[in-house]
Amino acid sequence: MFNKRTRIKELLKTEPTGQEVTVMGWVRTFRNNQFIALNDGSTNNNLQVVLELGKFEDELLKRITTSSSLKVTGNLVSSLGKGQKMDLNVTTIEILGDCDAEKYPLQPKRHSLEFLREIAHLRFRTNTFGSVFRIRHSLAFAIHKFFNDKGFVYMHTPIVTGSDAEGAGEMFRVSTLPFDNPPRNEDGSINFKEDFFGRPTNLTVSGQLEGELAATAFGEIYTFGPTFRAENSNTPRHLAEFWMIEPEMAFYDLEDNMNLAEEFIKYIIMYAMDNNREDLEFLAQRLADEEKQLPQDKRSEMGLIEKLEFVINNNFERITYTEAIDILRESNHNKKKKFQFPITGWGMDLQSEHERYLVEKHFRKPVILSNYPKEIKAFYMRQNDDGKTVAAMDILAPGIGEIVGGSQREERQDKLEQRMKEMHIPLQDMWWYLDTRRYGTVPHAGFGLGFERMVQFVTGMNNIRDVIAFPRTPGNAEF
Ligand code: 4AD
Ligand code: MG
């Protein structure tokens, strides 16, 4: 058997008593022809591998370069050096893959995140990305655990969809028709009957509508999958391909929905705190170092870990859209005309600068905003009795802005159809959606959590491109 190895993370927890172990990994540094810092991706902490001087041939030593890969067997002993608890005294060493140090783009020094994005295929081998992606993994696992423990059913909703009713954003067309000469109807329009699916299709912007179909049978479901938006937003918070978690629950109203979302966010943060302490501490230090270069007033009040503890231990602030508009209108920030988009009054859509003002300056904690004007929200949201607002809720997080969007759904067939007509949504295309309102309709609600924004919040990474392995953004789909 080739892969009989021990993970370095596990080794570092054991007592070194001379036991024989085999490790495999990549060389981070090699000093004095004697000390290898070996990393295997299980932790940022390297294992110090010690070669006895004179025991190994020069030919072999020359091939031990940064990022060459090794299989090493030896004995684990207490370290005489100060930097580490244990050494691996080598008996045999095998080079699995050479790495030309002249050509290898990662040096054992600090690289900018922008540079690392250009070599995203190698950036996993840095401490920062090691920590980010181990935490990303943990959060994904915690999400499944949270819902599984509560008895929710995981639904895989389609990626390719014929419905374009969500209205959440621009969509990517899916087609096998030839670009240069597509089949046409008599009026010159493209004949999608000849396309692969016999109709126009797109990449999904959300699994919600299909999620609702399942929730009205299982009670409580969730989706966790990739979603796509062809909006031309080049910001540190937007991706064209991102992952979304969308729970959908029968017999929930807006308040139940908010309670679940708050519990959920706290749970997954707690899971990372309990299971990724070392990586969080590394990222907290990274952030603190980065912020030292900023002027005092631009630095965060809390360190990363303090911030996460604060979120776990405090209730989210809950206010209505109407209250938010009043706060924003009366703010000094608005009066001094510091918003790029001034507060014009009730009915306006909130920009991210407004959302961030509310969470970062006014409340200094996560905020759940509810009951938005119906004009700025999707057709499926439940209409409130005031005739003006819908039972929507967004959760805003410090440093991120909107992290969750959700609502109670309109379960009353007549109200739903009337709203769809007002919004020019073709009812006949949505027959399957409307069927749930025809056949045993129930009050229900759900929300969508942007996974990358959540990973950003937990890791403190500023740019969303640094929390997904291979970001897709306008003008960029490398790797
Ligand atoms: O607010 P959104 O558009 O809501 C929906 O799609 C609903 N169908 C969700 C539901 O009720 N089931 O998106 C939900 C969340 C946002 O709050 C944000 O966190 C994230 O998805 N999001 C994005 N994340 C990264 N890049 C983008 N372009 C995003 N657009 C939305
Ligand atoms: Mg939204």
Side-chain angles (χ1 to χ4, degrees):
M1 197 163 73
F2 182 77
N3 192 355
K4 200 162 180 245
R5 68 179 179 120
T6 312
R7 287 215 166 76
I8 289 173
K9 184 177 181 177
E10 299 312 316
L11 275 188
L12 294 176
K13 284 187 212 154
T14 59
E15 277 309 310
T17 56
Q19 68 270 45
E20 189 186 87
V21 294
T22 297
V23 292
M24 298 181 212
W26 294 265
V27 174
R28 283 283 171 92
T29 58
F30 185 33
R31 291 186 291 123
N32 304 341
N33 267 347
Q34 214 182 347
F35 303 105
I36 302 169
L38 193 73
N39 189 281
D40 70 357
S42 60
T43 162
N44 280 343
N45 296 319
N46 303 320
L47 179 67
Q48 168 146 290
V49 173
V50 183
L51 305 176
E52 199 182 313
L53 282 175
K55 185 169 166 186
F56 299 91
E57 303 206 343
D58 278 354
E59 272 314 298
L60 179 98
L61 297 178
K62 263 193 234 146
R63 292 172 60 201
I64 303 175
T65 56
T66 297
S67 240
S68 57
S69 49
L70 308 180
K71 173 178 183 178
V72 188
T73 301
N75 299 89
L76 211 56
V77 299
S78 290
S79 182
L80 300 174
K82 280 213 182 95
Q84 62 286 319
K85 181 172 142 198
M86 61 188 79
D87 290 344
L88 184 69
N89 284 343
V90 178
T91 44
T92 63
I93 188 162
E94 182 186 335
I95 299 194
L96 299 175
D98 292 282
C99 179
D100 184 342
E102 298 288 305
K103 293 197 180 128
Y104 184 60
L106 279 174
Q107 300 303 317
K109 62 159 199 174
R110 199 171 263 264
H111 292 289
S112 76
L113 295 173
E114 289 78 11
F115 170 72
L116 292 172
R117 254 170 247 152
E118 290 169 18
I119 50 164
H121 58 308
L122 297 173
R123 67 180 176 168
F124 302 120
R125 296 187 193 188
T126 65
N127 283 338
T128 297
F129 288 93
S131 291
V132 166
F133 285 97
R134 279 187 297 268
I135 292 171
R136 183 180 164 116
H137 158 77
S138 265
L139 292 172
F141 184 81
I143 286 163
H144 286 297
K145 182 161 166 49
F146 177 83
F147 287 120
N148 183 63
D149 288 353
K150 281 189 178 295
F152 283 51
V153 173
Y154 178 27
M155 289 301 301
H156 298 96
T157 51
I159 310 274
V160 175
T161 163
S163 97
D164 64 352
E166 162 76 15
E170 299 289 312
M171 295 194 286
F172 290 99
R173 164 75 26 99
V174 174
S175 172
T176 53
L177 293 178
F179 286 114
D180 43 356
N181 187 21
R184 294 193 183 271
N185 299 313
E186 291 197 342
D187 64 0
S189 60
I190 293 176
N191 181 3
F192 285 103
K193 290 212 176 68
E194 291 195 26
D195 204 350
F196 188 90
F197 296 106
R199 59 180 299 163
T201 48
N202 306 289
L203 293 178
T204 187
V205 295
S206 157
Q208 177 197 323
L209 300 188
E210 291 90 350
E212 282 185 59
L213 310 180
T216 51
F218 294 104
E220 288 148 316
I221 66 97
Y222 70 106
T223 73
F224 186 174
T227 51
F228 305 86
R229 301 206 180 167
E231 5 174 39
N232 200 2
S233 306
N234 245 316
T235 81
R237 313 271 173 268
H238 287 89
L239 290 166
E241 175 182 293
F242 66 99
W243 287 64
M244 187 155 51
I245 299 96
E246 295 185 275
E248 191 69 36
M249 299 76 64
F251 323 115
Y252 272 52
D253 67 10
L254 187 65
E255 196 188 343
D256 299 322
N257 202 23
M258 292 196 244
N259 291 344
L260 182 76
E262 181 168 343
E263 185 191 343
F264 171 54
I265 289 174
K266 287 178 174 173
Y267 176 91
I268 60 178
I269 294 175
M270 199 120 66
Y271 187 90
M273 297 275 268
D274 289 344
N275 291 277
N276 300 80
R277 195 68 195 193
E278 204 180 271
D279 285 321
L280 283 171
E281 276 165 9
F282 176 84
L283 291 172
Q285 188 58 47
R286 196 200 77 85
L287 201 61
D289 291 346
E290 191 180 78
E291 291 203 345
K292 275 190 201 134
Q293 297 168 27
L294 297 176
Q296 197 80 39
D297 64 323
K298 292 260 167 9
R299 296 184 199 166
S300 320
E301 278 169 46
M302 292 184 213
L304 180 64
I305 293 188
E306 268 177 294
K307 177 190 82 175
L308 297 176
E309 274 165 358
F310 180 85
V311 169
I312 292 172
N313 294 324
N314 288 278
N315 291 334
F316 293 6
E317 194 69 37
R318 298 185 186 194
I319 60 165
T320 63
Y321 166 90
T322 305
E323 286 164 335
I325 288 287
D326 290 343
I327 291 168
L328 289 167
R329 193 197 290 116
E330 296 309 314
S331 68
N332 280 333
H333 210 76
N334 188 47
K335 288 180 177 159
K336 288 189 187 149
K337 305 207 176 345
K338 284 200 194 151
F339 286 126
Q340 195 191 336
F341 297 90
I343 304 301
T344 51
W346 199 92
M348 69 179 287
D349 205 353
L350 297 180
Q351 302 295 326
S352 67
E353 58 171 342
H354 308 133
E355 297 176 338
R356 294 187 64 168
Y357 177 85
L358 288 171
V359 278
E360 284 157 35
K361 297 269 175 348
H362 192 82
F363 289 111
R364 293 162 190 267
K365 51 155 61 174
V367 174
I368 312 186
L369 273 183
S370 60
N371 299 314
Y372 285 73
K374 64 179 179 190
E375 280 74 23
I376 58 173
K377 287 292 181 186
F379 75 92
Y380 50 70
M381 297 192 178
R382 192 175 198 279
Q383 296 166 58
N384 289 327
D385 293 340
D386 61 12
K388 296 193 304 190
T389 60
V390 286
M393 64 114 178
D394 277 6
I395 302 186
L396 315 177
I400 307 286
E402 183 191 330
I403 195 163
V404 160
S407 74
Q408 186 172 339
R409 317 306 187 191
E410 184 55 84
E411 84 284 11
R412 298 162 295 186
Q413 189 188 350
D414 53 337
K415 298 241 186 235
L416 180 60
E417 289 187 358
Q418 164 220 330
R419 190 72 194 127
M420 288 170 79
K421 283 179 198 149
E422 283 167 14
M423 295 177 79
H424 307 291
I425 293 163
L427 269 70
Q428 69 280 7
D429 291 359
M430 300 289 289
W431 61 274
W432 44 272
Y433 186 72
L434 290 167
D435 265 2
T436 56
R437 274 57 171 184
R438 284 188 191 105
Y439 307 135
T441 191
V442 286
H444 64 289
F447 62 86
L449 171 73
F451 187 49
E452 284 74 20
R453 290 190 189 175
M454 188 68 215
V455 181
Q456 275 190 280
F457 185 72
V458 174
T459 59
M461 297 301 283
N462 259 315
N463 197 310
I464 200 164
R465 293 165 181 80
D466 297 328
V467 298
I468 188 163
F470 303 109
R472 272 78 181 94
T473 51
N476 184 19
E478 189 71 46
F479 308 105

